[in-house]
Amino acid sequence: METLLSTYPPGAWAALLATGVLIGLLAGLLGVGSGIVAVPVLLEIFEFIGIGEPLGVPLAVGTAQASILIASVTAAGVHWRAGTIDSDLVQSWLPALMVGAVIGLTLGPLAPTWVLTTLFAVVAAGLALKMMAGDRLIIVQSQPERPFSDISPAIVGGLAAAVGVGGGTLSTPPP
């Protein structure tokens, strides 16, 4: 335990704890995933402790992805028990979502840092615009027919995996 605690200075631990609380509040109130908050905070903390940009971005994205995995499994279980999962939609999206995620996980670490940070900023700005517009901004009314129906989940999976945000942040932004 002492080794773990000595990994980061006390200020970094305080920032991580505060970020965890903020992530929990935002997830509970707005349904926003942890990656949208965790990645920028982790980048700052890594910079503070001397982990530079080339390694800091993939480390922040990977750390956010690990926390998203834990939160997603927990949330999926709760939603499954509550009966609030559209099984047909999950079955139709899952194959393309997984292909997109594999592509994002493969290409993300190879991408230059500026590409990943730009993608992250675009995702965050898009989410902010959707939240401000609410129901006034509806991209599509219904899912397109195959093969076009695989485009959206593949993009969601690829972007989410590459920049470290949850797929729900991209596919179901709050109104």
Side-chain angles (χ1 to χ4, degrees), residues 25-172:
L25 286 171
L26 289 175
L29 294 173
L30 302 175
V32 175
S34 62
I36 206 81
V37 176
V39 170
V41 170
L42 289 171
L43 287 173
E44 291 299 320
I45 289 174
F46 292 154
E47 185 72 30
F48 176 72
I49 63 172
I51 298 175
E53 195 171 280
L55 182 59
V57 171
L59 191 58
V61 168
T63 303
Q65 288 169 338
S67 69
I68 290 166
L69 176 64
I70 294 166
S72 296
V73 168
T74 304
V78 171
H79 283 288
W80 184 264
R81 286 190 296 280
T84 56
I85 292 180
D86 184 340
S87 298
D88 292 336
L89 183 61
V90 170
Q91 287 177 347
S92 71
W93 269 51
L94 196 56
L97 188 72
M98 291 176 65
V99 167
V102 168
I103 291 169
L105 289 170
T106 303
L107 297 179
L110 302 175
T113 301
W114 71 267
V115 170
L116 293 177
T117 53
T118 301
L119 278 173
F120 186 88
V122 168
V123 167
L127 178 62
L129 288 173
K130 172 57 180 146
M131 290 176 74
M132 288 188 311
D135 291 338
R136 294 184 307 262
L137 176 62
I138 298 174
I139 298 170
V140 294
Q141 293 289 341
S142 62
Q143 186 168 336
E145 298 296 321
R146 292 219 181 266
F148 301 108
S149 62
D150 292 333
I151 294 171
S152 293
I155 290 171
V156 166
L159 275 177
V163 300
V165 298
T169 299
L170 300 171
S171 61
T172 55

